[in-house]
Amino acid sequence: MLGTGLLQGLAVTAKNLVGSFHDPERYVTMEYPEVKTKLPENYRNFPFLVHDDPKDPLGSLRCVACTICETECPPQCIYIVMDRDEKGKALKRPKVFDIDISVCMSCQICVEVCPFDAIKMDQHYEIAETNRFQGLLLSREQLSKSNAYYHQLHPTEAAAVDALLAEQKAKQAAAKAAKAAPAAKPPAPAAPAANPPPPPAPSAEAPKPPTPPAP
Amino acid sequence: MSLPGQLSVLFPLASGLGASSPLAAVLPASDSALERLPLTLRGLLTGWLPASWQWLANSLIAIVVLIVAFASLFALLTLAERKILGRVQNRPGPNRAPLPFLNLRTYGLAQPVADGVKMLTKEDIVPDGADRVLHFLAPIALLAFSILTLAVIPYGRLLVALDLDASVLFFFAAGAATELAVFMAGWASRNKYSLLAAMRALAQLISYELPLLLSVVPVVLMAGSLSTSVIVERQGEWWLGFLPRWYVFTPWGLAGFLVFFVASLAESNRSPFDLPEAESELIAGHLTEYSGFKYALFFMAEYFGMCALCGMAVTLFLGGWQAPLPFLSFIPSYLWFAGKLLALLGVFMWIRASFPRLRIDQLTRLAWKFLVPLALINLGTTAFWSLTADWAGLLQPLRWLIAAGLIAGPFLLLGRNLSKGLGPRTYRYAA
């Protein structure tokens, strides 16, 4: 009959009108600036630098200014200058570390190539700036975020990274101990406690444990 | 109820009932102070004037009150419409505009203010080569005619700005004049699309003028008067002592109301008949070349027209300012009118939220092949109803049955004819 379809349509809209007041299933709008969506853990947009000591954000950066990420970056948005002392000796930390996030394409390649787990992907998306070029060129100071912040963004990934770093640190300590052991050979028998580390030491002879030994 | 007493004293309000002594004669003693409030206030304002000046002052007051009331209703309606549309689409609608100087969000209550400021600060553009005078006059004419239609609606007991003997005629004459303004706007814009849209709008408005008028004729026939006040008074009795005798509760009244309602949707350019300003196909129709305040005036006129048509539907079919049940009569009549008006406006918005826009051929077909024949048949049914008014006893149900059949049969047949060949659409490629 003419009109029954119209009534059905009206019923649908009326259900939505009433339902939007009491049914959160229907009323899904989030009022953005006040309420924010919970981002998925794997969400990423721009890189940041991880530091370990919140009291010294620039001094405790994991970055050693090796410039691997700078060379790998496809749009070349990273610019690194190694810090050096007055004799010109490299200090293994960046003096300048800039990322131009107006150029960055969020590919995460810098994160994947970093041997020190020093650069990770941030989830901060409110990046509007009033000046066009300087505002989006992030410096070392702006990029440095604590490990706790990293844990907050990507909990599982950060836990895995922490475990890996702890393992590497242990290995490094063992290697150091093994190196120290032959130098102090005479007292070695007197200290059997240092004995367990040496067996793995010969295999890990190389003094740079983070990178896997090149084949 | 002392309604018969009132019937005899339906004198035009504009002719100077301001003083307290004639007022007391007109209003029944049972009326509460609240019911009398508008007239009492007006009496206080104009009572001190000489009698020859009172009618002028009263008319001016009526004009100012009408314009202020409907302008603020317009502001609220724009907000309510956006809120309702939002809720139907499961979003909150405008809720951010803060109150001026307070920075307080009251669920978007200040949105009309923000809209108004936006409209007023926009540049007023007149196309090069447009007929400047007509371009300027079109929104004004449209608004003026819309406001004129508001004058004859009885907003409450004895609350009508202009109580003419032929107020129904006046209403539709003023309403039809808005079509002229629409064409004026389209023609004066010197824009092909505006002109095309205005011609289409004219085709639509004139097509729907016919069912609109034909659906009103039965009411005039049964009430025996063209005066809106008398029509409302006639609906003020009760069946069995408690059922309202509004015209919508008769077979011919129901059919008339539905035809009137659909036609008034089209007359006020509302969705699903909003072809005159179909944004997606005609930019904005005859409004294309209008901006700023003139554009706002067009919208104001559209809402005024909507309010007027809803008010007329309430007056003609829904008992005007009468209470639906006898024991509810203590609520002032103007509140009943306002409630019914707002309910009907709500249905307008509900419909806008529900239905997609019609194509122009579907639109005219609905008018000429469905609404006009139905309204004509309804006229015959009303004649039958009027002739069998003295049927009593067992004949009474028979009268109802025949009248209902006279409505339902043509409705079914015409409806089948209307949707012939338009069966459920099958989609070959879309899922």
Side-chain angles (χ1 to χ4, degrees):
Chain A
M1 199 178 81
L2 185 77
T4 45
L6 297 180
L7 293 181
Q8 276 170 19
L10 285 174
V12 168
T13 46
K15 255 183 235 163
N16 277 290
L17 175 66
V18 179
S20 70
F21 282 100
H22 65 81
D23 188 359
E25 288 277 305
R26 284 185 196 273
Y27 187 77
V28 290
T29 307
M30 298 188 107
E31 295 186 32
Y32 159 62
E34 292 91 25
V35 187
K36 288 180 180 162
T37 326
K38 181 147 178 21
L39 293 168
E41 202 183 317
N42 283 343
Y43 173 79
R44 65 167 195 252
N45 54 0
F46 298 116
F48 71 97
L49 297 175
V50 186
H51 66 246
D52 287 316
D53 183 6
K55 287 190 194 99
D56 182 16
L58 292 181
S60 66
L61 282 177
R62 288 181 189 167
C63 177
V64 298
C66 66
T67 69
I68 293 178
C69 53
E70 189 183 11
T71 42
E72 290 290 337
C73 178
Q76 303 186 345
C77 67
I78 303 179
Y79 174 69
I80 301 173
V81 174
M82 164 90 76
D83 200 7
R84 292 174 190 276
D85 61 7
E86 52 274 22
K87 288 174 195 157
K89 187 175 167 257
L91 286 177
K92 289 201 175 179
R93 63 170 192 243
K95 187 166 83 181
V96 176
F97 196 115
D98 287 345
I99 296 182
D100 188 349
I101 58 168
S102 66
V103 173
C104 175
M105 63 184 204
S106 308
C107 63
Q108 208 184 5
I109 287 177
C110 53
V111 174
E112 274 152 28
V113 298
C114 182
F116 305 98
D117 284 307
I119 190 165
K120 292 293 169 196
M121 295 309 276
D122 205 342
Q123 294 190 333
H124 181 241
Y125 51 86
E126 290 161 322
I127 49 165
E129 285 292 338
T130 46
N131 69 351
R132 200 155 142 204
F133 301 108
Q134 292 307 309
L136 292 176
L137 183 66
L138 301 187
S139 67
R140 193 167 58 125
E141 289 80 7
Q142 289 160 292
L143 287 169
S144 174
K145 308 266 172 76
S146 70
N147 193 26
Y149 176 76
Y150 177 40
H151 270 271
Q152 202 183 324
L153 297 187
H154 309 283
T156 44
E157 192 188 307
V161 166
D162 271 7
L164 193 70
L165 285 179
E167 193 186 325
Q168 282 170 358
K169 207 172 221 173
K171 264 187 192 169
Q172 215 167 1
K176 211 174 252 175
K179 220 175 178 183
K185 204 77 191 170
N195 270 357
S203 61
E205 202 71 52
K208 39 165 190 161
T211 39
Chain B
M1 298 304 295
S2 52
L3 287 173
Q6 280 182 46
L7 275 176
S8 55
V9 280
L10 272 167
F11 285 69
L13 269 186
S15 62
L17 284 174
S20 55
S21 47
L23 242 179
V26 165
L27 284 171
S30 66
D31 275 336
S32 61
L34 214 55
E35 172 77 56
R36 263 187 259 194
L37 189 66
L39 293 181
T40 321
L41 284 179
R42 198 188 63 178
L44 285 177
L45 273 174
T46 62
W48 55 274
L49 284 168
S52 52
W53 285 87
Q54 265 183 17
W55 72 269
L56 185 65
N58 286 345
S59 310
L60 285 176
I61 287 175
I63 291 169
V64 169
V65 167
L66 270 187
I67 291 180
V68 168
F70 277 93
S72 36
L73 182 65
F74 158 67
L76 287 179
L77 278 180
T78 52
L79 177 65
E81 173 143 33
R82 293 171 65 184
K83 281 273 192 195
I84 289 176
L85 286 181
R87 282 288 168 176
V88 166
Q89 294 158 10
N90 294 325
R91 51 186 178 81
N95 62 353
R96 306 215 152 242
L99 284 179
F101 311 115
L102 285 176
N103 205 21
L104 195 70
R105 279 186 202 164
T106 43
Y107 300 98
L109 204 64
Q111 187 68 35
V113 182
D115 285 343
V117 170
K118 182 194 123 189
M119 281 295 186
L120 287 175
T121 49
K122 275 191 169 180
E123 187 187 355
D124 176 31
I125 299 167
V126 182
D128 198 16
D131 190 327
R132 299 187 77 91
V133 178
L134 279 191
H135 191 267
F136 172 72
L137 274 182
I140 296 174
L142 190 61
L143 194 65
F145 287 128
S146 308
I147 292 174
L148 277 185
T149 55
L150 293 172
V152 292
I153 296 170
Y155 298 99
R157 184 168 291 153
L158 298 175
L159 282 181
V160 52
L162 184 61
D163 198 0
L164 297 172
D165 284 341
S167 46
V168 175
L169 213 58
F170 175 87
F171 180 89
F172 289 105
T178 57
E179 292 158 25
L180 182 71
V182 167
F183 195 71
M184 233 158 103
W187 191 80
S189 296
R190 200 179 179 110
N191 176 329
K192 289 186 193 72
Y193 297 100
S194 287
L195 186 59
L196 273 174
M199 289 168 77
R200 238 170 67 158
L202 267 193
Q204 170 184 336
L205 294 175
I206 291 175
S207 296
Y208 278 87
E209 199 71 40
L210 205 58
L212 193 74
L213 285 170
L214 281 175
S215 62
V216 172
V217 176
V219 175
V220 175
L221 192 69
M222 291 307 287
S225 168
L226 275 166
S227 160
T228 44
S229 314
V230 176
I231 289 172
V232 174
E233 296 288 350
R234 291 282 151 83
Q235 300 179 69
E237 293 150 38
W238 312 99
W239 265 314
L240 310 173
F242 68 98
L243 287 173
R245 294 194 69 160
W246 301 353
Y247 288 144
V248 74
F249 296 129
T250 53
W252 59 270
L254 181 63
F257 174 66
L258 291 179
V259 172
F260 186 90
F261 189 72
V262 174
S264 61
L265 276 176
E267 278 292 307
S268 52
N269 295 343
R270 292 285 298 180
S271 175
F273 306 108
D274 54 349
L275 282 115
E277 42 174 299
E279 305 94 342
S280 51
E281 35 201 278
L282 287 166
I283 316 157
H286 58 282
L287 304 177
T288 309
E289 301 292 355
Y290 281 92
S291 62
F293 193 56
K294 289 179 191 164
Y295 188 78
L297 282 186
F298 269 108
F299 260 86
M300 204 161 171
E302 182 187 323
Y303 275 83
F304 277 11
M306 196 169 101
C307 291
L309 280 163
C310 282
M312 206 52 180
V314 168
T315 303
L316 295 176
F317 297 101
L318 300 179
W321 41 259
Q322 310 276 6
L325 291 169
F327 66 87
L328 288 174
S329 302
F330 67 92
I331 296 173
S333 55
Y334 46 88
L335 289 187
W336 278 120
F337 184 87
K340 290 175 191 176
L341 180 68
L342 290 180
L344 216 51
L345 288 171
V347 177
F348 264 55
M349 288 168 192
W350 184 14
I351 284 176
R352 171 161 178 197
S354 302
F355 300 137
R357 182 183 299 138
L358 264 67
R359 228 165 41 210
I360 185 82
D361 63 314
Q362 295 169 333
L363 178 102
T364 41
R365 186 158 69 165
L366 180 68
W368 292 107
K369 286 190 156 180
F370 185 71
L371 293 179
V372 170
L374 205 64
L376 281 172
I377 290 166
N378 192 33
L379 194 55
T381 315
T382 318
F384 165 78
W385 191 263
S386 163
L387 287 174
T388 56
D390 50 351
W391 284 13
L394 267 183
L395 284 176
Q396 191 69 15
L398 186 68
R399 178 193 185 213
W400 275 82
L401 214 63
I402 294 174
L406 279 175
I407 298 299
F411 178 83
L412 287 175
L413 288 174
L414 285 170
R416 190 166 297 171
N417 191 39
L418 187 73
S419 46
K420 193 186 284 174
L422 299 174
R425 193 180 275 192
T426 48
Y427 295 95
R428 281 168 63 197
Y429 299 112

